[in-house]
Amino acid sequence: MSDLVFVPRPDGELPVRRWLPAPGTGPGVLVLQEIFGVSPYIEQRCADLAAAGYVVYAPELYFRLGLPTFDEEAPDYVQQGIAGSQRLDWEQTTADASAALDALRAAPEVTGKVAVLGFCFGGGLGFQVAAVNTPDALVSYYGSAIPGLLDLASQVRCPSLHHWGLGDSFFPPEVVEQVRTALTSERVTFHTYPGAEHAFDNPHPMFFHAEASALAWTRTLAFLAERLRAS
C-alpha cells in the first residue's frame, strides 16, 4: 500500500507516492516513471522495492497536466504516452525530480543512502538528475534521453547501472553501443539483453521480455543492496 506526500514547488505541490518497507525505515529509492505515468506497472515495481527493504518515492511528474490516464488496451497506447511526455518541460521536470530526491533524502523514514531508479523516460531523466544532484546510486532502464545527454556523463559521479535491450525498436544496437562507449567510467555497470525490446521490463505484451526482465531485476536488487547497504 502507498500513501501520498507532497513536495513544495514554486508553482504548487508535487504529489509523490510513498511506499514504506515493513520496518518503516530503510535506504531510499526514487522511482521515475515511464511515459505512462505512475502506472500499475510502476506501482508494482515500487511495491517490490518496498518489500526488499527500501523507502520508495514515485513523484507524479504529470501533476501540472492533471495526471492524465493512458489506455493500455488502445492501439495508440504508445502514442498517447509520447504525446503526454512531450507536454512536459524537460528542465522543469528535472527540477521536480531533483526536489523529490532531496525530500526523500531528508525524510525521517530514510536511514541510509538514496538511489534513483528510472524506466524509459524516467531512465533518461534519472541520468540528468544524477548529473545535477548527488544520489548515491543510479539505475537506468533503457533511458530514452541518454543518447542526447552523453555530454553529462562526467557529471554523473555516483555508481550507475544501465540496462538496454538489443531488440529495441527505438534505439538500435549501434545507438546502444554509442551509449556504452560514452559511459566508460569504472563507476558504470552496463548490461545488454539480446532480443529484448524497449521497455522490456513492462509486463504489457507489446514490450515484455520475461527472461530479460527477471535477470535485470535480479541485477538491480543486487546493485542497490551493494550500493545502499540495505539489510
Side-chain angles (χ1 to χ4, degrees), residues 21-36:
T25 61
V29 179
L30 179 74
V31 174
L32 299 177
Q33 65 189 48
E34 297 179 307
I35 57 175
F36 308 113

Side-chain angles (χ1 to χ4, degrees), residues 165-180 190 192:
L166 293 181
D168 194 315
S169 300
F170 296 94
F171 299 95
E174 56 267 28
V175 174
V176 176
E177 187 58 32
Q178 178 187 13
V179 174
R180 184 207 292 268
F190 201 98
T192 57

Side-chain angles (χ1 to χ4, degrees), residues 52-75:
Y54 300 100
V55 176
V56 184
Y57 274 20
E60 296 274 11
L61 298 174
Y62 282 129
F63 80 104
R64 294 185 184 85
L65 306 180
L67 299 183
T69 58
F70 304 93
D71 182 1
E72 292 190 13
E73 304 303 320

Side-chain angles (χ1 to χ4, degrees), residues 6-222:
F6 294 90
V7 175
R9 304 298 299 129
D11 57 346
E13 291 197 319
L14 168 64
V16 177
R17 300 281 297 280
R18 178 180 65 177
W19 284 256
L20 295 177
T25 61
V29 179
L30 179 74
V31 174
L32 299 177
Q33 65 189 48
E34 297 179 307
I35 57 175
F36 308 113
V38 184
S39 63
Y41 154 59
I42 295 297
E43 292 175 346
Q44 183 59 58
R45 278 307 188 207
C46 291
D48 294 340
L49 289 164
Y54 300 100
V55 176
V56 184
Y57 274 20
E60 296 274 11
L61 298 174
Y62 282 129
F63 80 104
R64 294 185 184 85
L65 306 180
L67 299 183
T69 58
F70 304 93
D71 182 1
E72 292 190 13
E73 304 303 320
D76 65 343
Y77 177 48
V78 173
Q79 288 70 31
Q80 290 177 34
I82 291 172
S85 66
Q86 289 175 342
R87 294 174 63 196
L88 292 174
D89 179 278
W90 179 257
E91 296 303 327
Q92 183 181 56
T93 305
T94 299
D96 287 342
S98 185
L101 179 63
D102 290 339
L104 175 65
R105 186 186 291 113
E109 300 86 8
V110 173
T111 56
K113 298 179 179 180
V114 294
V116 176
L117 192 165
F119 299 90
C120 185
F121 174 84
L125 182 67
F127 185 80
Q128 179 148 326
V129 169
V132 301
N133 204 316
T134 56
D136 297 294
L138 165 69
V139 180
S140 176
Y141 277 71
Y142 29 81
S144 54
I146 291 179
L149 297 174
L150 295 178
D151 58 324
L152 298 179
S154 63
Q155 296 173 226
V156 179
R157 297 183 173 87
C158 65
S160 64
L161 171 63
H162 296 261
H163 302 294
W164 287 85
L166 293 181
D168 194 315
S169 300
F170 296 94
F171 299 95
E174 56 267 28
V175 174
V176 176
E177 187 58 32
Q178 178 187 13
V179 174
R180 184 207 292 268
T181 300
L183 303 181
T184 54
S185 165
E186 62 184 12
R187 300 183 298 272
V188 176
T189 302
F190 201 98
H191 292 296
T192 57
Y193 301 85
E197 248 291 3
H198 192 74
F200 64 75
D201 190 57
N202 186 320
H204 192 288
M206 188 185 308
F207 315 116
F208 190 52
H209 191 292
E211 181 180 354
S213 173
L215 179 56
W217 192 248
T218 296
R219 287 169 166 167
T220 293
L221 291 180

